Amino acid sequence: MQKVQNAAIIRGMKIKAFFVSALFLLLAASFSQTAHVRFKMDSDLNPQFFSEPVIPAQEFAEAALTASGAGQEKRRLLMQRLDALWQSLSARLEKSGAPEENAEKILSFMYEKILSKYNFDQTRLDQALESGVYNCVSSAVLFMHFSKRAGIPVLAVETPRHAFCVIFDGEKKIDVETTNPYGVNPGKKRTTDLGSGRTKYITVPAKDYAGRHQVDDRRAIGMIYNNRIVQLQKKKLDAQTVGLAVDSYFVQGKSQVSKNDLELCVSNAAANLSNAGKELEAINLLESAEKEFGQSQRWTKSIFNCRRNHVLKLVKELPFEEGLSAAKENREKLLPADYAELKEYAWLLGAQKAGEKMDWPLAVQIAERGLKDFPQSKKLLNCRNIFTNNYAADFHNAAADLFNSGKKGEAVEKIKEGLKVLPQNKILLSDLDRMSR
């Protein structure tokens, strides 16, 4: 009588953790402490500045410096410098001059006295003033400040990957590409004096930016926050982005755009917590955000996902019965589909662990119990069948040893013993039939 081998223990019974989707980039990173997340507006910001879409020149610069991360003393010194620069610049402007002409003088002055080197990431006004390094946002904000002081109507223009300005001369709108010293009215041919009676013609190409739209002063300052947020994300410091997103939200008058950015920043920070195995901290963060700023479909979804990850971890790490209880206890906090999937997985995992110890009776028992919960589960049915046959194989092999040793009677009794616990098993029924001939 030949022996049979146990079937392989079931593999591939995995359930994936669901990690929350993220903002501009989702960069997985460990998260230090939830307490580091700030939900209150920076005390250095004056809410009165942002009650209207147009902000006066001085308040605009003050807010831009705060958004740039400059402390109180640095702001004081840089505001003094802006005043001194304005004194020098205003002497060059024509009081009754056309806005376009004065805008050209402002832009020329900026590159003569302040700006010297372009850097794609340098969005901060304080650093532009201190180092001369600038990008489209910092140069646009600086131009807007001086234009406001000169009485030139000005707005920022935002595109998906760029920012510049537009000034108004009555009904006429004139683009200003602030990353170029000759950027007023791009496409216009102008001359510049090279000295010794020599001149040079210069034309800055006009660009028809896709997705361009004018934004108010509050959004212009918000762009500083957005760029700083992206830089923090690149460094995997998503928790620190939340405070900046909060400031941007209040600065922009709680606009939907700024709310979306805030939701994404909080969700990113929560995703990092969940990825680091701190699902309860992630849930606390998301629920705290909802208390502060109202419910959000994104946050609600993230809470469910984090709860699912937490229960999944319990099911995996706790002994079978405790893991199953954890799933049942969290039923009301899970989406119905997630609850069903986790509970089915708990049954499968419990049977699998028993099977790995070759405890076939327990493995079969757990699979049978699971099938009462999920009678249509093909995974549990397959699980039960494999472990049932493995259990039967143990009786078969023991009987085969006895039969091959000439102990046919004892072999028959061993098969009957197996049939008492597995009365319908085809392997054992076939063995009994052959031995009875």
Side-chain angles (χ1 to χ4, degrees), residues 4-7 360 364 383-394 422 425-427:
V4 298
Q5 292 185 339
N6 290 124
W360 311 125
V364 171
C383 177
R384 183 198 63 182
N385 291 342
I386 288 175
F387 292 141
T388 297
N389 287 337
N390 285 354
Y391 192 10
D394 281 356
L422 301 171
N425 187 262
K426 293 180 180 179
I427 295 173

Side-chain angles (χ1 to χ4, degrees), residues 79 97 179 183 216 279 288 339 348:
M79 289 299 292
T179 58
D216 67 24
E279 301 88 2
S288 297
Y339 172 70
L348 286 165

Side-chain angles (χ1 to χ4, degrees), residues 108-244:
S108 176
F109 178 85
M110 285 167 50
Y111 281 89
E112 178 187 337
K113 299 294 185 181
I114 306 168
L115 304 181
S116 58
K117 182 180 179 182
Y118 177 84
N119 182 299
F120 179 80
D121 294 325
Q122 207 307 88
T123 192
R124 293 171 52 169
L125 178 59
D126 60 332
Q127 291 187 3
L129 288 167
E130 290 177 325
S131 68
V133 181
Y134 65 95
N135 73 353
C136 59
V137 173
S138 50
S139 61
V141 167
L142 184 60
F143 177 82
M144 290 177 70
H145 169 70
F146 287 134
S147 295
K148 287 172 175 287
R149 293 185 83 151
I152 301 173
V154 61
L155 283 174
V157 179
E158 184 178 13
T159 80
R161 292 188 58 80
H162 189 49
F164 54 99
C165 292
V166 60
I167 60 172
F168 298 84
D169 185 357
E171 296 297 318
K172 182 181 179 183
K173 292 196 299 184
I174 302 168
D175 285 351
V176 180
E177 177 52 75
T178 59
T179 58
N180 190 302
Y182 306 102
V184 176
N185 200 359
K188 177 182 177 181
K189 186 177 181 180
R190 54 175 51 80
T191 61
T192 183
D193 185 4
L194 298 177
S196 302
R198 296 178 301 147
T199 60
K200 179 180 180 181
Y201 291 104
I202 296 174
T203 301
V204 175
K207 295 183 180 181
D208 184 16
Y209 289 104
R212 63 174 284 170
H213 58 282
Q214 293 172 193
V215 295
D216 67 24
D217 295 352
R218 298 173 295 186
R219 177 60 184 170
I221 295 169
M223 287 191 286
I224 298 176
Y225 283 113
N226 275 28
N227 285 2
R228 289 182 65 197
I229 285 169
V230 171
Q231 293 308 306
L232 287 170
Q233 288 180 321
K234 289 178 180 179
K235 297 176 182 178
K236 303 182 181 181
L237 298 173
D238 289 285
Q240 294 182 28
T241 70
V242 176
L244 297 182

Side-chain angles (χ1 to χ4, degrees), residues 237-296:
L237 298 173
D238 289 285
Q240 294 182 28
T241 70
V242 176
L244 297 182
V246 168
D247 294 339
S248 184
Y249 173 68
F250 286 114
V251 164
Q252 295 182 66
K254 303 181 182 180
S255 70
Q256 188 58 53
V257 169
S258 62
K259 178 67 183 300
N260 291 343
D261 291 342
L262 174 59
E263 289 179 3
L264 288 166
C265 285
V266 173
S267 294
N268 271 357
N272 287 336
L273 279 169
S274 186
N275 293 350
K278 301 178 181 179
E279 301 88 2
L280 294 181
E281 288 187 44
I283 292 168
N284 179 61
L285 173 66
L286 291 159
E287 289 179 341
S288 297
E290 287 196 328
K291 288 179 182 178
E292 286 286 341
F293 305 105
Q295 282 197 320
S296 150

